[in-house]
Amino acid sequence: MQIDCIAGCSIGALVGAVAASGSTDGLEATFKTFDWRKTLSFFDVVFPRAGLIDGAKVTALVREHLPTTRIEALPIRFAAIATDLGSGAEVVLRSGDVIEAVRASIAVPGIFTPVRLGGRVLVDGGLSNPVPVSVVRAMGADRVIAVDLNYGVVDGRLKRRVKSVKAESESPPQNEGGRWAAEYRHVLAELKNRLAAQSAPIKDQFSRWSTRDEALPNVFEVLLASVNVMEMHITESRLRVEPPDVLIRPPLGDIRFLEFGRAEEAIQLGYDAAMQALRDAKMGG
C-alpha cells in the first residue's frame, strides 16, 4: 500500500512527521527505551508561564528523528494541525519548519507552552480537528485511513483513576502493571517537587492544586480530562460528517499521560487495532 500524504495533530503530528520522513523504526526504538527517569527528563518545567512545560526537550527528540527541517522536503506530503488560540480556527501547516509545526500541534493547553508562529499563537490541533480526515482529502487522498486515539479514553481513564485511588492504601501488586503504576506516581512526585522549588507563593498554590482528594482529581487530571472530553466530542461530530474509509481505534483508555514507559504495549495495541480495522474493511468490500 502506497502512502501519498499524512496529516496529524498532537502526538499524531509528531509520529506523522517522522513517518513522512521514513524514520519510524528509529522512533519506535527510542520510545521503547523510556522509563520514568527518561520520561521525567523531558519535563523542562517553566510554571507559571503560559504552560507547565516548555517542550524544548520534546523538540530536540523530534529533531533527532527528522533528516530535514522543512515540511516541503519530506519524502511524503505532510500537514500538522494546530489551533489558533486567538480565533479558535483550525490551522493547517503544510510548509515551513517541521519542528515548529509539530511543536505547535502538541501544545496541549495548560501543559505545554503555546507556539507563536506567523503572527498567531498556536496550541494543540486536537481542539479543532483531532482526526484530520478533511485535511488529507484536501491534499488529494482518494482513500483515507484514520486513527482515533480519543475513543474510550475518557471513560477508561476515569475508571482507572477510581481503581487507583481505592488501591493506594493497599500493597501494589508485584507485576508489570503494578511496577508502572509505582513509576507513574514517582514521575508525578518528582514533577511536583520541581514545581515546589519555585517561589513561595507558587509553591503554596501548586501544593493546593496538586493535593489528591479521593473525591476530586488533581490539577493535571482536570486539565487533561477537560481536553480529552472536548476532543472526544469534536472527534465524534467530525467523523460523522467526514468519515474515513478505514477507522482505527486502539483501546488506549488504560494508558495515562506520562506513561511513556508503556510504549511497547501501546504500539502493540495500535498494531492489533490496525490489523483488525483493515480486515474488517476488506471483508466489507
Side-chain angles (χ1 to χ4, degrees):
M1 180 185 298
Q2 179 179 334
I3 298 175
D4 297 311
C5 55
I6 299 171
C9 72
S10 201
I11 191 64
L14 191 160
V15 175
V18 175
S21 75
S23 305
T24 51
D25 288 346
L27 185 64
E28 177 181 350
T30 295
F31 276 124
K32 284 183 176 180
T33 67
F34 271 54
D35 57 14
W36 68 264
R37 292 180 182 85
K38 191 163 185 177
T39 298
L40 188 64
S41 73
F42 279 80
F43 286 80
D44 37 8
V45 176
V46 292
F47 184 84
R49 285 174 54 187
L52 176 64
I53 301 161
D54 185 68
K57 293 179 180 178
V58 175
T59 298
L61 171 68
V62 179
R63 197 179 301 279
E64 286 178 16
H65 294 277
L66 288 175
T68 179
T69 60
R70 306 292 297 178
I71 294 176
E72 306 93 303
L74 292 169
I76 297 174
R77 286 180 296 142
F78 171 71
I81 318 303
T83 302
D84 186 332
L85 193 59
S87 66
E90 173 187 339
V91 178
V92 180
L93 302 167
R94 292 187 56 185
S95 62
D97 190 315
V98 65
I99 305 296
E100 284 190 338
V102 169
R103 175 65 184 81
S105 189
I106 67 171
V108 179
I111 303 296
F112 287 97
T113 55
V115 172
R116 190 177 296 277
L117 188 63
R120 296 175 292 200
V121 177
L122 303 180
V123 293
D124 186 0
L127 301 181
S128 54
N129 197 351
V131 187
V133 175
S134 59
V135 175
V136 288
R137 296 270 192 218
M139 294 169 73
D142 53 3
R143 287 183 61 80
V144 176
I145 300 174
V147 182
D148 175 14
L149 300 182
N150 295 308
Y151 185 73
V153 164
V154 173
D155 184 55
R157 290 179 184 172
L158 176 62
K159 288 178 180 177
R160 180 172 176 182
R161 182 185 181 276
V162 170
K163 288 180 182 178
S164 67
V165 169
K166 182 179 179 181
E168 276 187 353
S169 60
E170 303 172 359
S171 299
Q174 298 302 311
N175 56 28
E176 189 70 8
R179 182 174 68 85
W180 277 115
E183 293 194 356
Y184 175 79
R185 288 194 294 272
H186 190 101
V187 171
L188 286 183
E190 288 295 322
L191 188 55
K192 180 178 178 179
N193 289 339
R194 289 189 184 187
L195 287 163
Q198 308 291 324
S199 65
I202 296 171
K203 177 180 177 179
D204 293 342
Q205 181 65 68
F206 183 75
S207 180
R208 289 193 294 272
W209 282 353
S210 62
T211 299
R212 177 174 285 280
D213 183 317
E214 289 195 5
L216 295 171
N218 64 37
V219 63
F220 298 112
E221 292 167 329
V222 169
L223 284 169
L224 292 166
S226 298
V227 172
N228 288 153
V229 169
M230 187 184 311
E231 292 190 0
M232 179 187 71
H233 288 299
I234 295 170
T235 297
E236 289 176 353
S237 62
R238 295 205 67 148
L239 287 176
R240 282 195 294 269
V241 177
E242 302 156 348
D245 297 287
V246 178
L247 180 59
I248 301 168
R249 283 178 153 168
L252 302 176
D254 192 47
I255 298 178
R256 292 184 289 195
F257 181 64
L258 302 183
E259 288 190 307
F260 296 121
R262 296 176 67 185
E264 189 163 1
E265 178 185 350
I267 290 168
Q268 188 62 51
L269 288 170
Y271 178 84
D272 292 343
M275 293 299 100
Q276 185 60 54
L278 290 171
R279 283 194 293 269
D280 292 346
K282 186 175 182 180
M283 287 188 293

